[in-house]
RNA sequence: GGGGGCGUAGUUAAGUUGGUUAUAACGCCGGCCUGUCACGCCGGAGGCCGCGAGUUCGAGUCUCGUCGCUCCCGCCA
């Protein structure tokens, strides 16, 4: 790091350097002016060093020191000395030494910053985002951005070691049906036509396989014009990979090694390989969600059998209209107050459940508003199925299958959190496999792809494509960490015939398929190798690695929830001239 | 599109059933201070209480609207 401006960085000097003459450059973290001696903590991204201005040893340097303020940029020169006995600071890596300054240069002054550059002040996010370049000076942000670099470096090294090529794909590309809303870019040279920013490099990476590149990866920006969340930004980064001549297990094995390397390097965590695999069906049955948090039990219990002959109106009508009844047994939950149970009702209502039935298993019997509607045999079967013991709280949802599963799945997570069932330090990966190919979209009255339209069906389900599309399973897999989807992928369709069939099922007309995806169908017809791949959300992975509450904490320049940039003011209006060039009229 | 939370000095917050001059801490400015490291001591400046209406003798406080930030539902192949 030695250069004109510095001989060392601010985190480097140790007792072994005592006696050396050094030059440091950095920002003023803090200054303590004693009238006589002046102390300044000089900061750069590597650390802090205390530099001392002493009027007796260096009167000229000391004379200017009184005017130095926070966040000034200084260059200092002097000798590394041992701190006097009793003044060593054990909290600082450089706490054994200080630099006795004899020459100082103010490289730049700084206005008073809108907030202090420390890691204790909790500043409102809007202020942080407006002055992001100052926020990024703070320790937690420096940590996050540096860790992010280390992760991408690990990924590049690991994939390079495994013969992957990093290949760029276009940012100005084609809008395609299905999926998220596109960000569009008008074409000046083709008035009235638009590029779309990629939602992912999906089609291009498949074309790279057709081209014979065999193993591709890219750390790449993707764009989706949908509403934001704590873990969703309109532009985000994927670790995107595609392989030829592989089956699912090849991909899973290679990727597990990569994930294990990342978590080892960043968190010192030794992964237990291979990661457990759960079928989609099991995930939904037991956890209610396709991204199960397996750090704690509290499984969903199917009670359709128990209540098959129920006279209880609510349960009867749900079962008669193809709905399901499931429950949770919260051990020790009987002590929850009526208000606390009402709060649980509010949780399931968010996800569309109309009610939440409950039973407190007390020593003197079952306390519940509904148990009087149950037959004795049902009560017995229920107690057995749910392994009810004194002190338990049994909770039920009866609704359409999707609503029952999702609302109880979310309630399970809520209870896991609230009741302290989750060990926050635990890291539990699992693969979710054997997803269905399609779901029925009630609003659009057509099938939609669960993963994406290029995902291959399981070989044994090929013949069901036409007859029973909803029963067809896909060669798709998601990697889930502590209930959060880290990434997902699939083996792709590599022949044009099957691909055309899938488009048909998705109700994409031949003509439209030709127009939108013709180039892919063409490519598949020229000897496409069997191939598949996976993509990971880098931002989300960083958020989990660093334990941050929001994806914005691991992105240097994130957008607000309304997808604006408080720092630059984007998006903004443009000149009439620019619009004219693009043949765009204001609405 | 819908539901919840927040908005008061530069920053973080307090502000009672509506009632005198809107508080505090940190930061900032000035002075003092030779071993501090969240330095200390003394003094000072700093406010469109997000914005706009309304209710009222009187609004930081109540009502409505609006803007911004945020969490969630929908949406996100």
């Amino acid at each position: 790091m030695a250069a004109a401006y510095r001989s060392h960085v601010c985190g480097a000097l140790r007792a072994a350097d005592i006696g050396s003459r050094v030059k440091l450059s950095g920002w003023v973290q803090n200054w303590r002016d004693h009238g006589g001696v002046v102390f300044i903590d000089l900061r750069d991204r590597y650390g802090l060093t205390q530099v001392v201005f002493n009027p007796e040893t260096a009167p000229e340097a000391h004379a200017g020191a009184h005017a130095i303020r926070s966040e000034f940029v200084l260059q200092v020169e002097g000798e590394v000395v041992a701190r006097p006995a009793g003044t060593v600071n054990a909290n600082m890596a450089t706490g054994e030494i200080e630099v006795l300054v004899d020459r100082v240069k103010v490289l730049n002054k700084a206005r008073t910053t809108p907030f202090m550059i420390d890691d204790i002040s909790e500043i409102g996010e809007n202020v942080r985002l407006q002055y992001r370049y100052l926020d990024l000076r703070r320790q937690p942000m420096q940590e996050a951005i540096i860790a992010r670099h280390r992760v991408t470096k690990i990924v590049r090294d690991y994939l390079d070691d495994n013969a992957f090529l990093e290949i760029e794909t276009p940012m100005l590309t084609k809008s395609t049906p299905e999926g998220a809303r596109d960000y569009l870019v008008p074409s000046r040279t083709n008035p009235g036509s638009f590029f779309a920013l990629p939602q992912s490099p999906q089609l291009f990476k498949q074309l790279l396989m057709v081209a014979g590149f065999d193993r591709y990866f890219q750390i790449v920006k993707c764009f989706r014009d949908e509403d934001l969340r704590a873990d969703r930004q309109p532009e985000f980064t994927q670790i995107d990979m595609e392989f030829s001549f592989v089956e699912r297990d090849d991909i899973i094995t290679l990727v597990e090694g990569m994930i294990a390397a990342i978590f080892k390097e960043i968190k010192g965590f030794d992964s237990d390989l291979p990661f457990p695999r759960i079928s989609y069906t099991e995930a939904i049955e037991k956890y209610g969600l396709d991204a199960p948090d397996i750090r704690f039990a509290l499984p969903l219990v199917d009670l359709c059998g128990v209540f098959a002959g129920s006279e209880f109106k609510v349960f009867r009508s749900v079962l008669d209209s193809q709905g399901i009844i499931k429950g949770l047994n919260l051990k020790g939950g009987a002590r929850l107050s009526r208000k606390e149970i009402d709060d649980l009702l509010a949780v399931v209502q968010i996800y569309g459940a109309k009610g939440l039935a409950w039973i407190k298993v007390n020593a003197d019997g079952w306390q519940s508003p509904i148990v009087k509607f149950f037959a004795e045999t049902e009560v017995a079967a229920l107690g057995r199925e749910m392994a009810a013991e004194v002190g338990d709280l049994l909770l039920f949802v009866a609704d359409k299958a999707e609503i029952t599963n999702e609302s109880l799945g979310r309630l399970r997570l809520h209870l896991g959190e609230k009741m302290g069932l989750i060990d926050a330090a635990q890291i539990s990966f699992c693969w979710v496999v054997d997803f269905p190919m399609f779901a029925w979209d009630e609003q659009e009255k057509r099938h939609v792809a669960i993963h994406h339209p290029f995902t291959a069906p399981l070989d044994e389900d090929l013949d069901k494509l036409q007859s029973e599309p909803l029963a067809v399973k896909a060669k798709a897999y998601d990697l889930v960490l502590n209930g959060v989807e880290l990434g997902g992928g699939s083996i792709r369709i590599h022949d044009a015939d099957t691909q055309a069939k899938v488009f048909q099922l998705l109700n994409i007309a031949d003509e439209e398929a030709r127009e939108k995806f013709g180039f892919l169908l063409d490519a598949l017809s020229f000897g496409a190798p069997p191939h598949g791949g996976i993509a990971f959300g880098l931002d989300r992975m960083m958020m989990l690695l660093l334990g941050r509450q929001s994806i914005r904490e691991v992105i240097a320049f994130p957008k607000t929830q309304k997808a604006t940039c408080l720092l630059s003011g984007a998006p903004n209006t443009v000149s009439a001239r620019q619009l004219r060039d693009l043949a765009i009229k204001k609405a």
Side-chain angles (χ1 to χ4, degrees):
Chain A
M1 292 307 310
Y5 277 102
R6 54 187 177 185
S7 64
H8 295 76
V9 295
C10 293
L13 297 172
R14 295 290 184 275
D17 298 296
I18 289 167
S20 317
R21 191 168 172 76
V22 298
K23 200 193 280 187
L24 300 179
S25 289
W27 287 263
V28 174
Q29 176 67 38
N30 193 13
W31 51 280
R32 296 174 294 278
D33 185 343
H34 289 241
V37 69
V38 176
F39 299 98
I40 286 177
D41 298 329
L42 204 61
R43 181 196 73 235
D44 61 20
R45 76 175 228 225
Y46 307 94
L48 285 174
T49 299
Q50 173 167 282
V51 302
V52 188
F53 297 80
N54 192 317
E56 285 164 11
T57 59
E60 320 82 63
H62 177 265
H66 298 292
I68 292 170
R69 292 294 179 266
S70 293
E71 299 307 314
F72 278 27
V73 186
L74 304 185
Q75 180 188 61
V76 298
E77 271 185 81
E79 190 188 333
V80 182
V81 298
R83 292 200 188 181
T87 66
V88 166
N89 187 341
N91 299 321
M92 285 175 85
T94 60
E96 284 188 87
I97 58 91
E98 60 196 15
V99 173
L100 197 52
V101 177
D102 51 54
R103 292 180 65 184
V104 58
K105 200 156 143 195
V106 175
L107 298 174
N108 210 342
K109 294 185 176 183
R111 287 158 56 199
T112 302
T113 51
F115 49 84
M116 280 189 280
I117 313 301
D118 61 24
D119 49 0
I120 35 184
S121 312
E122 291 197 14
I123 312 299
E125 199 167 0
N126 50 347
V127 184
R128 291 176 56 201
L129 289 179
Q130 186 184 347
Y131 299 97
R132 188 60 154 184
Y133 44 87
L134 297 180
D135 188 35
L136 288 169
R137 286 183 188 171
R138 302 167 77 214
Q139 185 57 28
M141 290 308 301
Q142 293 259 317
E143 241 172 58
I145 300 302
I146 291 167
R148 192 175 168 125
H149 162 80
R150 288 172 61 210
V151 167
T152 55
K153 165 82 169 132
I154 294 162
V155 166
R156 287 198 164 94
D157 289 347
Y158 182 89
L159 293 178
D160 182 66
D161 287 346
N162 284 280
F164 283 77
L165 301 171
E166 184 166 15
I167 305 174
E168 291 170 90
T169 51
M171 286 290 116
L172 295 175
T173 179
K174 190 173 179 178
S175 179
T176 52
E178 302 278 304
R181 196 176 292 110
D182 285 319
Y183 273 100
L184 295 177
V185 179
S187 165
R188 177 185 55 83
T189 46
N190 301 277
S193 290
F194 295 82
F195 296 103
L197 301 181
Q199 294 178 29
S200 84
Q202 182 61 36
L203 294 176
F204 286 102
K205 68 175 174 175
Q206 290 189 239
L207 298 182
L208 289 170
M209 295 303 104
V210 177
F213 285 110
D214 201 49
R215 291 186 161 202
Y216 141 96
F217 85 100
Q218 192 179 183
I219 296 173
V220 63
K221 276 288 178 73
C222 301
F223 304 86
R224 293 178 191 178
D225 187 5
E226 297 292 349
D227 286 343
L228 288 75
R229 289 284 191 284
D231 62 353
R232 259 162 46 187
Q233 284 271 303
E235 57 176 308
F236 60 100
T237 304
Q238 282 192 346
I239 301 168
D240 189 46
M241 306 160 62
E242 195 78 6
F243 323 43
S244 291
F245 306 117
V246 284
E247 264 303 350
R248 185 186 73 184
D249 286 5
D250 303 309
I251 296 176
I252 284 181
T253 302
L254 187 128
V255 155
E256 282 179 345
M258 183 180 85
I259 297 295
I262 292 169
F263 277 75
K264 174 69 182 169
E265 176 78 12
I266 304 296
K267 295 203 67 123
F269 174 73
D270 289 302
S271 295
D272 202 1
L273 296 179
F275 298 144
R277 295 184 198 181
I278 299 174
S279 74
Y280 172 86
T281 308
E282 186 191 347
I284 297 292
E285 276 176 3
K286 219 169 138 187
Y287 304 100
L289 304 169
D290 64 1
D293 189 335
I294 59 171
R295 288 177 297 176
F296 65 110
L298 195 61
L300 276 57
V301 180
D302 188 330
L303 300 170
C304 293
V306 171
F307 292 109
S310 179
E311 305 277 320
F312 179 40
K313 272 187 201 155
V314 177
F315 285 6
R316 186 73 263 145
S317 71
V318 163
L319 289 172
D320 287 346
S321 55
Q322 312 301 312
I324 61 170
I325 302 167
K326 289 175 90 168
L328 288 174
N329 180 356
L330 182 65
K331 289 285 163 194
R335 63 185 153 79
L336 262 58
S337 68
R338 186 57 192 265
K339 159 122 188 17
E340 286 174 305
I341 293 176
D342 282 346
D343 291 344
L344 301 182
L345 167 65
V347 171
V348 297
Q349 279 176 329
I350 293 171
Y351 303 96
K354 285 177 276 301
L356 180 70
W358 55 272
I359 298 171
K360 283 185 179 180
V361 183
N362 293 331
D364 56 353
W366 287 13
Q367 179 196 346
S368 166
I370 54 162
V371 94
K372 60 184 175 231
F373 300 111
F374 297 167
E376 257 177 56
T377 51
E378 286 169 356
V379 170
L382 181 62
R384 198 168 55 243
E385 284 295 313
M386 302 200 73
E389 296 173 324
V390 170
D392 292 353
L393 176 67
L394 311 181
L395 297 158
F396 313 92
V397 170
D399 218 304
K400 284 187 285 198
E402 303 83 63
I403 289 179
T404 302
N405 282 318
E406 190 184 6
S407 61
L408 270 181
R410 296 288 185 169
L411 180 64
R412 173 180 173 272
L413 294 179
H414 176 85
L415 289 170
E417 198 81 34
K418 178 184 156 77
M419 307 303 286
L421 306 177
I422 301 174
D423 171 7
Q426 201 176 329
I427 295 174
S428 292
F429 292 99
C430 67
W431 289 100
V432 178
V433 299
D434 297 340
F435 282 79
M437 282 281 282
F438 308 104
W440 179 254
D441 187 317
E442 196 43 49
Q443 279 167 13
E444 295 191 40
K445 302 284 179 205
R446 67 178 187 99
H447 292 106
V448 292
I450 297 251
H451 189 58
H452 58 52
F454 319 108
T455 299
L458 291 184
D459 299 331
E460 61 262 38
D461 290 349
L462 264 175
D463 53 348
K464 284 190 270 186
L465 261 185
Q466 243 85 19
S467 55
E468 243 190 307
L470 289 176
V472 177
K473 297 280 200 292
K475 291 182 179 175
Y477 34 83
D478 278 1
L479 181 62
V480 173
L481 168 56
N482 296 350
V484 178
E485 182 196 327
L486 266 192
S490 62
I491 299 296
R492 326 298 184 188
I493 298 166
H494 68 275
D495 69 284
D497 286 350
T498 310
Q499 186 65 73
K501 267 184 208 160
V502 169
F503 284 150
Q504 251 169 35
L505 260 167
L506 295 171
N507 209 17
I508 301 175
D510 283 353
E511 243 174 80
E512 190 187 2
R514 221 35 252 172
E515 199 255 313
K516 303 289 187 187
F517 300 114
F519 63 103
L520 175 71
L521 293 172
D522 281 345
L524 293 180
S525 72
F526 285 114
H531 63 285
I534 192 164
F536 291 94
L538 174 64
D539 314 278
R540 213 173 272 184
M541 191 187 295
M542 293 310 308
M543 180 177 154
L544 290 168
L545 276 167
L546 300 175
R548 302 294 168 90
Q549 292 306 306
S550 143
I551 202 177
R552 297 182 299 276
E553 298 297 323
V554 300
I555 297 174
F557 301 104
K559 305 271 188 292
T560 68
Q561 193 162 47
K562 283 191 71 186
T564 66
C565 173
L566 294 179
L567 171 56
S568 68
N572 61 340
T573 55
V574 297
S575 70
R577 167 76 192 271
Q578 283 172 294
L579 290 177
R580 199 166 58 236
D581 283 350
L582 297 168
I584 290 177
K585 273 188 207 150
K586 278 192 197 164

